[in-house]
Amino acid sequence: MDISYPPLYSFPPFFTKQITETTWKNQARQWESLILDYARHCHIVKMDLREYTSPGGYKIFENPSIDRRLSFETLQDIIEEMVKRGSAEWVSRSKTEAWIYWHSLEEWADRIWNWVQETGQNNQIVTFYEITHGDLAEGQEFFELDPDLIYKALSLLVKKGHAQIFNGNDEENRGVKFLK
């Protein structure tokens, strides 16, 4: 199943940052909606902006039928607007990679916590690998997600007193104990 692109996707100015502030804010919101839909559809939680905006990179940012591609700088500005609204977060100060939150960290934490309850894993130590690749996790939205995003979500459960994280060298050696 392919993602459906909005009619604006075929409008050349959509791929160029608009100079009027009101128009730009609306354009950024349209891009945000498209990016979040695309990320959810493709199960993407981290975006390398240079890779995504390079020629032939990702279809979402390039429409060959109208010979348009979103620039790296415009995507940075769009992500910056998303950061302000809480649907993205910069990975580092370089602003070349971003977390894309088609679910908020709180929602990811809730999904993991509900899964723990449903599968009876309270008071057990579970590896990050089991959360992201284990048989019990298959079919969950967090299945095969970036372990760093899982860590961020689990950190919220730690703050709530629902979990304790055990750090290791890699995904298979990092674990979490879920508390009742």
Side-chain angles (χ1 to χ4, degrees):
M1 177 179 129
D2 283 334
I3 187 169
S4 62
Y5 293 95
L8 270 175
Y9 187 75
S10 296
F11 186 56
F14 186 55
F15 288 83
T16 306
K17 183 177 179 179
Q18 299 304 297
I19 57 173
T20 306
E21 187 67 19
T22 305
T23 305
W24 160 243
K25 294 291 184 188
N26 185 46
Q27 179 186 21
R29 277 191 294 278
Q30 294 286 333
W31 270 110
E32 177 180 16
S33 178
L34 180 57
I35 290 168
L36 292 175
D37 288 348
Y38 182 82
R40 178 186 306 250
H41 178 78
C42 297
H43 220 68
I44 295 167
V45 294
K46 192 189 282 184
M47 207 175 263
D48 178 328
L49 280 61
R50 290 199 192 286
E51 179 183 338
Y52 273 69
T53 56
S54 63
Y58 287 79
K59 185 177 186 216
I60 183 177
F61 300 118
E62 186 171 13
N63 187 340
S65 68
I66 58 170
D67 195 28
R68 290 290 185 267
R69 180 170 42 91
L70 194 69
S71 72
F72 168 78
E73 294 79 14
T74 301
L75 181 55
Q76 273 187 318
D77 291 342
I78 291 165
I79 298 295
E80 189 63 44
E81 292 296 319
M82 292 174 67
V83 167
K84 291 176 188 174
R85 286 192 283 282
S87 58
E89 178 185 355
W90 292 114
V91 172
S92 70
R93 290 183 184 187
S94 68
K95 297 187 177 183
T96 58
E97 269 190 305
W99 292 107
I100 305 299
Y101 296 135
W102 39 278
H103 283 307
S104 69
L105 286 176
E106 186 72 38
E107 290 169 332
W108 284 120
D110 288 346
R111 280 172 163 63
I112 293 169
W113 180 249
N114 290 337
W115 170 74
V116 166
Q117 303 306 306
E118 291 167 8
T119 56
Q121 296 187 81
N122 277 320
N123 291 320
Q124 293 186 28
I125 296 176
V126 180
T127 66
F128 279 46
Y129 183 84
E130 290 172 304
I131 295 171
T132 58
H133 295 92
D135 292 341
L136 290 176
E138 197 165 346
Q140 300 294 319
E141 276 191 291
F142 52 82
F143 186 73
E144 295 186 345
L145 279 190
D146 187 304
D148 290 333
L149 179 83
I150 297 296
Y151 183 86
K152 291 166 83 61
L154 291 173
S155 294
L156 293 178
L157 293 177
V158 168
K159 287 179 185 174
K160 291 180 178 181
H162 294 308
Q164 180 182 0
I165 295 174
F166 300 95
N167 286 314
N169 297 340
D170 57 28
E171 183 180 17
E172 291 183 22
N173 293 314
R174 283 165 71 183
V176 59
K177 182 174 184 177
F178 294 103
L179 312 168
K180 288 187 180 187

